[in-house]
Amino acid sequence: MAVRKFLLGLAVGATLIGAEVLAADHAATDAATLAAALKAANGGDRVFAAPGEYGALTLVSRQFSPAVTISAADMLSPPMFSSITLHDVSGLNLTNVKVEFGAANAPLTTYAVEINRGADIKISNAEILSAANGVAGDDAYGVFIRNSAGVRIENSVVHDVYRGVAALASDDVTIAGNSITRVGSDGIIAGGVLRMTIASNYFADFDIIDPKLHHPDAIQIWSRNSARANSNVTVRGNLIRRGNGDPSQGIFVNTPETETAGLLIEENVVEQSMGQGIFVLNAVNAIIRKNTVLPVDYRVDAPGLEIRSPSRNITVSGNIASAFRLDAGVNSTGNAIVDYHNP
């Protein structure tokens, strides 16, 4: 009897194993075959897209677990999309693809890549641009993220866009290892974010649409029109250079409406021409350490590190800058001033 039960158990186990759905690979050669592959895809599947133009990719209300991957079949010739729009999508990896939006009539409301109500989405080794035509005022956003969680933008090239990456009202967003250049306004903006990491990105060659109207920052954290405060934001190891472009500011945390809590700004290098190399207003429990702010051909105020009230429990330590403009309550230790005129 025991032997029969053991053999029956083995048979049942084998049946269950045989019933598992194994991950599969799909091939796409155009927009129609890509749509069919995604319709048939199950969690863990991979879709390899051949070189060519695929138009606008739009996915709505699709959930994959584990994530489905869309990748180039030929790494040297990625598939090209005119835009990628993901609404209520979870579990998707996009790697080795190109998104070229083209000229935009309304830069504030058009996006090469839009992620809304998304979760567990990763874009890596991609090229994202609007129009590389030398006209700063006709570019869309690069990547726009709203009401999402677990989004990662990594090791990608974003250029010729109005703003590089925007993250609003989202949790656990990581923007890391990217090159963001030739932007018409800001490199990265964020508002109403929880547990966000901005790390090891490169910014240069700003092409500002109108310096009188736009406030160019490589990284800007704001609070306007946000339903909640920013919390636990890390800005680490970014390189911000003027390069061959217009002057910009470096890291600008300006949140007068709601207090930003748990801010860490460390090990960044800012080589720029505007006065606010690193700026913080209305933060609590913030650490700004081991950053270097160097001037490049400045005309008015030397690029420096500035903390303005209201701010509470702020530590500024081990930084190098041309100037330190710190509120009286800031804990300042081990900082060094660089003399631009007498190096």
Side-chain angles (χ1 to χ4, degrees):
M1 180 64 72
V3 173
R4 290 180 63 188
K5 287 183 178 180
F6 175 72
L7 293 175
L8 179 61
L10 285 179
V12 172
T15 300
L16 291 174
I17 292 172
E20 289 181 356
V21 178
L22 300 178
D25 289 346
H26 307 264
T29 56
D30 55 23
T33 53
L34 176 61
L38 290 171
K39 184 177 181 179
N42 296 300
D45 285 5
R46 300 181 300 178
V47 179
F48 292 98
E53 296 186 6
Y54 287 75
L57 173 63
T58 299
L59 290 177
V60 179
S61 299
R62 295 296 306 274
Q63 286 74 42
F64 301 106
S65 182
V68 164
T69 297
I70 301 174
S71 180
D74 180 353
M75 298 300 175
L76 298 179
S77 186
M80 187 165 71
F81 299 89
S82 58
S83 64
I84 295 176
T85 303
L86 307 175
H87 286 184
D88 189 27
V89 172
S90 65
L92 183 67
N93 297 329
L94 293 156
T95 183
N96 294 294
V97 301
K98 181 176 181 179
V99 184
E100 185 169 353
F101 185 87
N105 294 323
L108 280 171
T109 56
T110 50
Y111 320 107
V113 177
E114 181 183 5
I115 302 169
N116 192 10
R117 300 194 307 276
D120 300 322
I121 294 172
K122 179 180 177 181
I123 299 174
S124 62
N125 300 302
E127 181 183 4
I128 301 169
L129 71 149
S130 186
N133 57 7
V135 180
D138 68 352
D139 290 329
Y141 275 76
V143 181
F144 188 85
I145 305 162
R146 185 189 290 275
N147 299 321
S148 297
V151 177
R152 303 181 69 89
I153 313 297
E154 298 179 339
N155 303 320
S156 294
V157 176
V158 182
H159 63 94
D160 293 285
V161 290
Y162 174 62
R163 287 183 169 127
V165 182
L168 305 177
S170 295
D171 302 349
D172 302 300
V173 173
T174 297
I175 306 171
N178 304 287
S179 170
I180 301 176
T181 60
R182 299 201 296 275
V183 299
S185 181
D186 304 297
I188 294 172
I189 63 167
V193 293
L194 305 182
R195 299 178 301 275
M196 182 173 186
T197 298
I198 302 170
S200 303
N201 299 287
Y202 173 76
F203 304 84
D205 303 337
F206 283 71
D207 187 9
I208 304 306
I209 297 171
D210 186 343
K212 294 181 179 179
L213 296 177
H214 293 269
H215 182 281
D217 303 291
I219 300 168
Q220 181 173 184
I221 313 296
W222 68 31
S223 57
R224 67 174 182 264
N225 301 321
S226 296
R228 63 182 185 181
N230 301 292
S231 178
N232 296 321
V233 177
T234 296
V235 182
R236 175 188 294 124
N238 299 282
L239 175 57
I240 301 167
R241 307 193 68 183
R242 178 167 178 181
N244 296 317
D246 296 324
S248 82
Q249 301 187 132
I251 300 165
F252 192 80
V253 182
N254 185 32
T255 58
E257 292 85 359
T258 56
E259 191 174 57
T260 294
L263 175 67
L264 174 61
I265 301 174
E266 65 177 0
E267 300 172 356
N268 301 281
V269 176
V270 180
E271 300 173 342
Q272 262 295 349
S273 308
M274 297 180 73
Q276 293 162 329
I278 298 176
F279 175 91
V280 176
L281 180 148
N282 199 22
V284 60
N285 300 330
I287 298 173
I288 298 96
R289 65 189 178 195
K290 299 180 181 178
N291 300 283
T292 301
V293 180
L294 302 174
V296 177
D297 191 28
Y298 75 91
R299 290 291 182 267
V300 183
D301 294 323
L305 198 159
E306 183 171 349
I307 310 295
R308 288 189 191 175
S309 61
S311 288
R312 300 182 292 118
N313 193 25
I314 311 294
T315 297
V316 177
S317 65
N319 300 280
I320 300 171
S322 298
F324 290 86
R325 297 179 281 270
L326 307 179
D327 189 66
V330 172
N331 177 24
S332 174
T333 61
N335 299 294
I337 295 177
V338 174
D339 189 336
Y340 176 75
H341 298 288
N342 298 288

